Amino acid sequence: MLRRNFTVAPDGDYSIEVDPRSVDAARLTLLAELGFNRLSLGVEDFDAAVQQAVHRIQPVEQVFALVDAARSIGFKSVSLDLMFGLPRQTPESFDRTLDQTTRLRPDRIALRAYTHLPQQFKPQRRILSAELPTEGARRLMLLRSFSAFQKAGYVHVGMDYFALPEDALAIAKRQGRLHRSFQGNSTQPDSDLISLGVSERVTARTPRPWRRITTALTRGACRWCGAWC
């Protein structure tokens, strides 16, 4: 659908975020054939106890194998998403995740803080508040993360992003042309965004509720709005 309605630049950057539990080498190959050339893996934490607490089991070996496969297939960039402040995390356990991450050597790292809002997000209701780390432990994890990534040679691009010196984001920062949108740091200036799917949250959106969305998509219709979703 996108290729039918838009001109796709042959040398563009096409990124996709995937759940390591839902992909294998064959699926990564398919994504590359579809045109994706940048990959982001939502790891959050490598510690088994933390993964169990958030009901997201993904062995370290599985993630390492996926990164190796992505590089062999030809993805020009692999990014890892990490999160601190999760249940059962300690500064010491997160140190191990930081060590495994730097050994994996992704091109980019996104480090985000967990926000516990079970009243808004139903999956978080399975997380025990008593198992969340203290504010002091969270701050220590953040400080140790900055130290570990900088010792490993990563550039703090800004906010929650780190990148290798040869990555396009790090180069853009050195050259004074780094941009920031609500979606994160970018080498490109702000531009129009088109949102597709039930998780869309930008300036172009389909009408809600979901039955109307399905009807609109079936008819090929779309409604625009001028406010952030």
Side-chain angles (χ1 to χ4, degrees), residues 177 179 186-192:
R177 54 181 182 83
H179 299 271
S186 173
T187 59
Q188 304 297 321
D190 193 21
S191 59
D192 294 333

Side-chain angles (χ1 to χ4, degrees), residues 68-116:
D68 287 341
R71 287 168 172 160
S72 297
I73 291 167
F75 282 88
K76 66 181 184 180
S77 176
V78 178
S79 173
L80 255 61
D81 289 356
L82 300 180
M83 187 171 289
F84 67 94
L86 293 171
R88 300 184 190 173
Q89 270 182 344
T90 66
E92 292 72 27
S93 73
F94 202 57
D95 281 345
R96 293 191 290 272
T97 288
L98 297 174
D99 178 65
Q100 290 162 319
T101 300
T102 54
R103 285 195 287 114
L104 192 54
R105 203 99 181 134
D107 300 279
R108 298 177 183 178
I109 301 170
L111 176 68
R112 299 189 174 95
Y114 172 71
T115 303
H116 192 57

Side-chain angles (χ1 to χ4, degrees), residues 18 58 62 82 114 116 161 168 176 182 207 215:
V18 300
Q58 49 198 26
Q62 179 184 3
L82 300 180
Y114 172 71
H116 192 57
Y161 276 86
F182 82 100
T215 301

